[in-house]
Structures are given as structure tokens and as C-alpha cells.
Amino acid sequence: MSPTVVTLGESLIQLNAVTRGPLRHVTLFERHVAGAETTVAVCVRRQGLDSGLITRVGDDEFGKCIINWVRGEGVDISHVKIDREAPTGIYFVQRGFPIPSKSKMFYYRTGSAGSRLSPEDIDPDYIGSAKVFHVTGITPALSETAKNATYKALEAAVSNNVSVSFDTNIRPVLWKTNERAVKTLMPIIEKTNILFTDPTDAIILLGTTDQDTIIKSFLDMGVDIVVLKMGERGALAADRNNRAFAAPIPVYVEDPIGAGDAFAGTFITSIVKGRSLNESLQRATIAGTLVVTVRGDEEALPTEEDIDTNIKHISIHPKE
Ligand code: KDG
């Protein structure tokens, strides 16, 4: 039996600056497990659905750290490969500089185990018997083999009627040009059922930041649900019949990285559990908000009960 939600992508070690400011002055770093699709798998599991991760890690201490963490969270690791030829990828996080409350990522992942993901890592039966397959625009940007693995996984999902969830997550440093990103990602979007994106990615993909045009364009491409994350302006979700809006929740930002994955993982879980578009969006917003209050992408991923507590709190004190 496959898990309900299967994700594909590079697991990374995140070294997060304990103090704010330029990294050249930072002397203390905290180690966390990260990687967009890894975080989604942990998020889904924390909220009570089975999840599984397809990835490669190095045969090193960081690879062991990732496996221990993900397994400890209850994610199925039967499709996590240990690659003896390449190290586990890492990245550093610089916080609060040059833009207060924003973070910058510095990758050390070229040639990493995760970037060597390839079609041979994809077991079509594993994906084909899940309910949802989730991937982001990061995975096909890693290498030609990782791109082919992504396409093979999508094929397995589509031919078995597994819902495809896709977060555009365009990381310009991983793409040589925007054109490459568009050429690679548009065919994925055509196969997507639940799409997460933001205005920064939409301008690359569609040349517009207009909400209505973004939503209509993706629905016209065959996407069932479009979710537009607009940061401090809240989030929108739309299908062919309904539209929902979630206001941003003002909060102290320690490190915004990982919010999008908490958001996606919670939205997917809520939809699979049969919740409405609106309720799924409100829950996703709460999860994304909680994650930015701490360093690390996965530590503050909420359980269902944590989200319920927040919903009560917000509805009792709507203005706080
Ligand atoms: O979404 C957060 C991720 O960006 C972070 O964990 C690192 O996966 C990562 C990436 O490739 O940027």
C-alpha cells in the first residue's frame, strides 16, 4: 500500500544563521532538515495522512540526519536512496538582511546526491497507487536527470488518475534563464490538478501579476484549483465555481523560508480530507504563518489540533 501523498525532491540540510545580518559576520548556525518536498511530506504526516518521500541523500552524516528525522516524523522512506557517489546538499540561510524580515538562501548543492535523482528512482506503482503526487519547480531545475525523473513521475500519476499537486517555486539561481524555466514548467502545469504559485513566479510564467488573469490562465490550461500566495496581501484559491480569500495573519517573522511548503502540505491534506476550498485555504494560511515564527522549515509544522486552536483564537479575537 502506497502512502496517500507521495512527494519527489531533494532533501537538504539547512544551516540557519542564529543571528541576523550578513553571513560573513555570522559565527553560529543551527542545523535543520529542509527541502521543499521533504517539508510537504512531513507536514502532511503531521496532520494525520500517510506520506512518502522519493529522494536521494549522500552516504554521509547529513544523509543519516535527514533519514532519521524524516523517519522519526513517520514519513515512508522506502523510496529514499543512499547515493554513495555524491554528498547530501546543503544551504545556508541569511536572515533579516538586506531586507528586514526576509531571508536569503545560499546553496552548496551542485553535484549533490539529490541533484542526481533520475528516472530509475521512480517506481510508477508507488506513485500510481497514491491519492496525490506533489512536486515543485525546484526538482526539474536540479539537473537533466532530475527533470526526466519529474516527467516520469508525472506520467505515472496522470495515467493512474492520481491528483498532481505542483508548486511553481521558481528559484532563479537554479535556472540559467527564465525561458528554460517556462519551457520546463508549463508542460508540468498542463498536467496539474492543484497549482500553487505567487506573483513573482506568475510574471515569469505568464508575464502578468494580475490576479484574475493568473487564475483564469491556469484554469484555462486545465488546472482544477489555482492557489495564489501573495505574502503580505494574503492568499486566493479558485476552482471553476468558487473563489476564496484568506487574509494575512500579522505575526513576528523569524525566518519566512518554508512557509510555502507548510501552506501547500496543509492545503493538500485539507482537500484530501474533504474540506471546502475556503476552509482549506484558511488552514493553509495558519500553517504557513506558524512556520515563519521559528528558524527551520519543519519544526513548527502544525498538527490538525494546532490549526483548530488557531482557528478558534482568530474567530474569538478577529482583530488581534
Ligand atoms: O521552500 C523552502 C525550500 O526552498 C528550502 O527548504 C530549500 O528546497 C529548497 C530549495 O531547493 O530551495
Side-chain angles (χ1 to χ4, degrees):
M1 262 292 277
S2 287
T4 308
V5 178
V6 170
T7 74
L8 164 70
E10 179 168 19
S11 302
L12 294 155
I13 287 292
Q14 176 193 91
L15 293 158
N16 202 315
V18 171
T19 50
R20 290 166 186 265
L23 280 196
R24 78 194 85 145
H25 301 302
V26 174
T27 51
L28 284 177
F29 293 90
E30 229 173 46
R31 195 234 334 107
H32 298 273
V33 170
E37 296 87 352
T38 309
T39 302
V40 169
V42 171
C43 178
V44 165
R45 183 67 202 110
R46 232 177 246 185
Q47 289 171 31
L49 294 182
D50 293 332
S51 66
L53 172 66
I54 305 170
T55 194
R56 282 191 189 214
V57 296
D59 186 15
D60 48 28
E61 289 301 320
F62 284 156
K64 291 187 175 73
C65 169
I66 289 169
I67 291 177
N68 285 351
W69 170 265
V70 173
R71 181 175 41 208
E73 288 292 327
V75 174
D76 178 50
I77 54 158
S78 60
H79 288 67
V80 175
K81 264 196 195 159
I82 296 173
D83 187 329
R84 293 181 206 289
E85 321 253 300
T88 304
I90 66 172
Y91 71 103
F92 290 81
V93 177
Q94 168 174 296
R95 295 186 305 112
F97 187 88
I99 306 175
S101 87
K102 298 261 186 268
S103 294
K104 269 184 94 170
M105 294 186 277
F106 296 90
Y107 294 136
Y108 293 80
R109 70 195 304 182
T110 308
S112 64
S115 65
R116 286 155 51 90
L117 274 164
S118 84
E120 79 203 30
D121 300 325
I122 305 302
D123 169 0
D125 293 338
Y126 189 63
I127 292 171
S129 45
K131 271 208 172 114
V132 178
F133 168 67
H134 176 81
V135 68
T136 78
I138 297 169
T139 308
L142 296 176
S143 65
E144 196 59 21
T145 61
K147 181 179 91 179
N148 293 336
T150 308
Y151 285 164
K152 181 174 174 188
L154 283 166
E155 216 38 66
V158 171
S159 57
N160 288 287
N161 292 320
V162 174
S163 285
V164 172
S165 162
F166 180 63
D167 189 334
T168 53
N169 252 356
I170 299 179
R171 300 281 184 260
V173 295
L174 297 178
W175 296 101
K176 293 214 172 64
T177 62
N178 284 349
E179 289 68 37
R180 268 193 69 219
V182 175
K183 195 167 160 245
T184 307
L185 301 185
M186 282 311 224
I188 299 178
I189 296 173
E190 279 165 13
K191 296 183 163 54
T192 294
N193 299 93
I194 305 178
L195 178 73
F196 300 93
T197 192
D198 61 30
T200 316
D201 288 0
I203 198 143
I204 295 173
L205 293 165
L206 301 172
T208 180
T209 54
D210 178 68
Q211 295 167 7
D212 293 334
T213 314
I214 295 169
I215 288 170
K216 182 172 181 323
S217 308
F218 288 131
L219 289 176
D220 285 351
M221 283 174 67
V223 172
D224 295 324
I225 301 178
V226 179
V227 185
L228 185 59
K229 300 171 286 177
M230 302 177 296
E232 284 123 26
R233 288 182 296 125
L236 279 174
D239 60 20
R240 281 178 193 77
N241 305 312
N242 307 291
R243 215 182 240 231
F245 171 72
I249 304 170
V251 80
Y252 163 76
V253 179
E254 179 74 2
D255 173 19
I257 295 176
D261 307 316
F263 186 103
T266 304
F267 190 87
I268 297 165
T269 305
S270 302
I271 291 288
V272 170
K273 289 191 175 183
R275 296 195 169 104
S276 69
L277 198 67
N278 182 46
E279 197 184 343
S280 302
L281 188 69
Q282 309 305 329
R283 296 181 81 85
T285 301
I286 289 170
T289 305
L290 286 171
V291 163
V292 309
T293 61
V294 300
R295 295 190 290 272
D297 301 9
E298 301 183 4
E299 283 74 359
L301 288 170
T303 61
E304 292 255 282
E305 293 70 33
D306 296 330
I307 297 176
D308 293 339
T309 307
N310 263 276
I311 284 180
K312 280 188 210 124
H313 176 78
I314 290 164
S315 57
I316 295 168
H317 306 287
K319 296 223 167 65
E320 283 180 11

